[in-house]
Amino acid sequence: LFDNQGNLIYYGGFKNNMYDGYGVKYEYIDVIRNQAHMRSFECVYEGEFKDNLPDGKGKEYRYDMEYLFEKEAGKPGALYYEGDFVRGEYCGYGTLYGTEEKYEGGFFQGKKNGYGKRWRWNEDEGELEYVEALFYDNMLHGQVIWYYPNGHVEFDGIYQDNGPIRG
């Protein structure tokens, strides 16, 4: 599918005049590359679609910065999320990449929900933090285990609304 200037905006399956099945969606967006700002057509999503929305396995790309924190070699800096989508939202299992944090685990209605693992840089301590926990609406909520960088347990207890209540 091309726009009226001849730019590719979608490549993939259609059903009832809507994106359906595997496809790749492109948008004309602001991009930052090597600290330079420009506008160009870029892939913003590749994966399964249903009724014009991401639905199934897919990858979301963002170009406002490079999301490289704890990312495996070979993955593009624009890759922001890869995993399950339902009706356009992160839902199921996925990995969310950031500039200062990486999360791998459960999602529901676009938010971290269920069991997950989170890595982030602690500026105060000058070290990488790692936690395995239950999340609810993006907050630590339930069983939480914080680890020191050497792998020893720092905290093993219960959180509620992002704060410890027992442990």
Side-chain angles (χ1 to χ4, degrees):
L1 180 65
F2 296 88
D3 67 8
N4 55 7
Q5 278 90 36
N7 298 300
L8 180 66
I9 57 173
Y10 177 75
Y11 176 82
F14 281 93
K15 184 177 178 183
N16 298 324
N17 285 331
M18 291 193 262
Y19 306 157
D20 192 86
Y22 180 81
V24 181
K25 183 178 177 185
Y26 300 86
E27 291 181 4
Y28 190 58
I29 56 174
D30 289 316
V31 177
I32 298 175
R33 283 204 182 100
N34 298 326
Q35 300 177 352
H37 294 263
M38 62 184 84
R39 289 188 60 76
S40 68
F41 273 90
E42 300 289 341
C43 172
V44 294
Y45 177 80
E46 66 177 307
E48 297 296 318
F49 283 90
K50 184 176 179 186
D51 298 330
N52 277 347
L53 296 172
D55 199 283
K57 298 282 185 204
K59 297 177 182 178
E60 178 184 333
Y61 298 88
R62 295 187 181 181
Y63 297 87
D64 54 344
M65 60 186 59
E66 289 195 327
Y67 300 95
L68 298 174
F69 187 80
E70 290 294 301
K71 191 177 278 185
E72 296 83 10
K75 292 195 183 240
L79 178 60
Y80 182 72
Y81 174 82
E82 61 183 330
D84 299 326
F85 288 80
V86 173
R87 292 183 295 282
E89 294 185 320
Y90 312 148
C91 193
Y93 185 84
T95 302
L96 183 66
Y97 300 98
T99 58
E100 299 175 358
E101 179 177 301
K102 174 183 170 181
Y103 172 81
E104 184 179 318
F107 287 88
F108 182 68
Q109 295 181 336
K111 296 181 180 178
K112 299 170 195 162
N113 274 287
Y115 174 76
K117 302 173 189 175
R118 184 181 71 192
W119 297 261
R120 72 175 167 195
W121 187 253
N122 182 326
E123 288 289 334
D124 296 333
E125 301 293 325
E127 61 189 24
L128 184 66
E129 291 182 342
Y130 173 67
V131 63
E132 293 183 19
L134 292 175
F135 288 80
Y136 178 74
D137 280 350
N138 286 333
M139 295 183 291
L140 295 170
H141 194 91
Q143 183 67 42
V144 174
I145 304 173
W146 286 91
Y147 294 91
Y148 287 108
N150 65 10
H152 292 107
V153 173
E154 176 181 357
F155 175 87
D156 186 347
I158 306 295
Y159 266 55
Q160 184 174 345
D161 298 330
N162 247 9
I165 59 170
R166 191 170 63 239

